[in-house]
Amino acid sequence: MGLQCGIVGLPNVGKSTLFNSLSNAKAEAANYPFCTIEPNVGIITVPDDRLQQLADLVNPQKVTPTVVEFVDIAGLVKGASKGEGLGNQFLGNIRAVDAIIQVIRCFDDDNIAHVDGKIDPVSDMEIIEAELQLKDLETLEKRINKTEKIAKSGDQQARKEMEILLKTKAYIESGKNIRNLNLSEPENVLIRKELQLLTAKPVIYVANVDEKSLLGNDYTKELNEVISSDKSQLIVVCAALESQLAELDQEDIEMFLEEYSLEESGLNKLIRASYDILDLITFFTAGPKEVRAWTVKKGSKAPQAAGVIHSDFEKGFIRAEVIKLSDYIILKTENACKDAGKMSVEGKEYLVQDGDIMFFRFNV
């Protein structure tokens, strides 16, 4: 779908280590590894046990997972909003992504210098937040100057827009991020879609810890307290350890996780959280040739899901035949689901549900 998560952070926080760990991570199906489409952009498999459950029942020739894109964005320094360092490149790249993964250093290591000379996760987070807010204010000021002239001429649409712009500007000036501001649909169109304000983007904070702190430490606790009221997530990851795990086969990874009493790797948590924060869901197609996971936005209707497979499917959509994954797992086959009345026939207004198994009928 082309939706991307941008990985950002100050220098020496482990941002590149995390990205490289993702790039080397072995997919659950060995023939679907990470692939690089640009030096700093990667397509990464979304871990989903349901896909293998379905494949075990169907026994297809091919199994294809769904994916999410990650972008390794140039490091930020204080003053980026004014062009310091690679500020313009950094902010431009953030504007292009759909969600932000902010890596924050939560470990001590005298051999790795901190850009400010001390470990302070909250301060690091606030530096990046402040730069994004300053850039948003600059964007708003430009739009306000343009809209104000039109509003003074009596244009009602421009006056409504001015109200939205001034409300948003005041919110940011209070030190808050737009993602925490409830917006009406007209406000959302202007602020998120048209102006693409940076602080409106969803955020995952990645607390990069050492191997002794896989379940968190004092730094992560402090960080979690600060963001507790924010519409964001915090995930604890040891990027250095994950880079080692990425070199192991699945059996060794499972042994490691068991030794540390972990249900899954930090990378898997991050990938799934990234998928969720983009407001995505998965539906499946299943047949003897291929079992495949597909991605759609939450709230998509059946024709839109069909269009993800092929544009002709959406144009000529007739109906969708839908089986719930839970029913398929119990009954084992498509025919058994049909016989038990567990296959529903849905029209154009059907809202696709996460985990639906779908077969589309369409006119060519």
Side-chain angles (χ1 to χ4, degrees):
M1 291 185 65
L3 296 175
Q4 295 182 330
C5 292
I7 302 176
V8 306
L10 298 176
N12 295 336
V13 298
K15 178 176 63 70
S16 294
T17 301
L18 182 69
F19 181 80
N20 291 336
S21 300
L22 287 164
S23 70
N24 290 328
K26 292 180 175 62
E28 291 185 0
N31 54 334
Y32 296 103
F34 167 96
C35 65
T36 301
I37 56 176
E38 285 182 25
N40 63 337
V41 179
I43 300 177
I44 297 162
T45 297
V46 177
D48 192 335
D49 292 339
R50 300 173 301 177
L51 181 65
Q52 193 56 52
Q53 285 181 298
L54 185 57
D56 289 343
L57 293 171
V58 177
N59 194 28
Q61 297 173 19
K62 185 178 180 183
V63 179
T64 306
T66 193
V67 298
V68 64
E69 290 187 16
F70 286 85
V71 184
D72 187 16
I73 294 177
L76 173 143
V77 295
K78 192 178 294 185
S81 59
K82 302 300 180 184
E84 292 293 330
L86 294 173
N88 292 329
Q89 177 184 340
F90 172 90
L91 295 164
N93 286 338
I94 287 187
R95 198 175 300 281
V97 300
D98 302 280
I100 298 170
I101 297 172
Q102 187 181 149
V103 183
I104 301 174
R105 179 172 171 174
C106 292
F107 65 89
D108 295 304
D109 189 335
D110 293 339
N111 296 315
I112 303 176
H114 188 281
V115 67
D116 287 332
K118 62 177 181 177
I119 310 302
D120 189 341
V122 173
S123 175
D124 290 357
M125 178 199 70
E126 289 174 345
I127 287 172
I128 290 184
E129 301 281 309
E131 295 301 328
L132 300 185
Q133 289 169 2
L134 287 169
K135 196 64 181 179
D136 279 352
L137 287 173
E138 180 185 310
T139 301
L140 286 166
E141 288 285 2
K142 289 179 180 178
R143 185 58 174 253
I144 287 170
N145 290 338
K146 177 182 176 182
T147 306
E148 190 173 25
K149 296 174 183 177
I150 303 172
K152 285 180 177 178
S153 70
D155 187 288
Q156 293 302 312
Q157 185 59 39
R159 287 183 176 180
K160 290 179 182 178
E161 183 175 306
M162 276 296 293
E163 289 180 9
I164 299 172
L165 293 170
L166 292 174
K167 167 187 171 182
T168 307
K169 180 172 178 283
Y171 192 81
I172 295 177
E173 286 177 334
S174 69
K176 298 176 183 176
N177 297 306
I178 297 304
R179 63 178 172 271
N180 297 313
L181 178 62
N182 292 324
L183 299 173
S184 65
E185 186 53 33
E187 291 172 335
N188 192 54
V189 169
L190 175 62
I191 299 304
R192 283 196 167 91
K193 296 181 181 178
E194 191 172 342
L195 295 180
Q196 294 183 304
L197 293 189
L198 305 179
T199 63
K201 296 180 184 294
V203 171
I204 296 173
Y205 295 104
V206 173
N208 186 19
V209 300
D210 55 30
E211 291 187 30
K212 299 176 183 178
S213 306
L214 296 180
L215 299 179
N217 55 27
D218 289 342
Y219 291 134
T220 64
K221 290 176 184 175
E222 182 183 6
L223 192 58
N224 196 44
E225 287 177 7
V226 172
I227 69 167
S228 60
S229 60
D230 191 84
K231 288 183 180 178
S232 59
Q233 295 186 50
L234 176 67
I235 294 178
V236 176
V237 171
C238 176
L241 182 61
E242 295 291 343
S243 66
Q244 297 174 39
L245 288 179
E247 301 295 332
L248 303 178
D249 58 33
Q250 190 60 35
E251 184 177 342
D252 288 337
I253 291 174
E254 288 174 1
M255 287 177 60
F256 169 85
L257 295 175
E258 185 177 345
E259 181 181 344
Y260 280 85
S261 301
L262 298 172
E263 293 184 3
E264 62 179 339
S265 71
L267 287 187
N268 276 8
K269 285 183 183 178
L270 175 58
I271 295 166
R272 287 194 295 100
S274 302
Y275 190 77
D276 291 342
I277 207 169
L278 290 171
D279 212 20
L280 303 177
I281 59 172
T282 299
F283 73 91
F284 302 98
T285 52
K289 290 186 177 180
E290 183 182 38
V291 166
R292 181 163 182 166
W294 301 87
T295 297
V296 291
K297 273 279 192 180
K298 193 178 294 181
S300 294
K301 295 181 179 180
Q304 293 172 287
V308 171
I309 300 174
H310 197 289
S311 58
D312 287 347
F313 286 21
E314 183 173 7
K315 292 175 185 175
F317 179 88
I318 299 174
R319 66 179 183 272
E321 297 168 358
V322 182
I323 300 173
K324 299 302 179 185
L325 181 63
S326 57
D327 291 328
Y328 201 109
I329 290 172
I330 293 171
L331 298 170
K332 310 298 185 187
T333 69
E334 181 180 323
N335 285 335
C337 289
K338 287 181 181 178
D339 293 342
K342 296 298 184 181
M343 175 184 280
S344 62
V345 177
E346 306 291 351
K348 293 183 178 181
E349 295 304 309
Y350 176 72
L351 290 175
V352 179
Q353 303 298 306
D354 186 52
D356 279 352
I357 303 169
M358 307 186 76
F359 181 82
F360 298 102
R361 301 289 183 180
F362 63 98
N363 287 318
V364 178

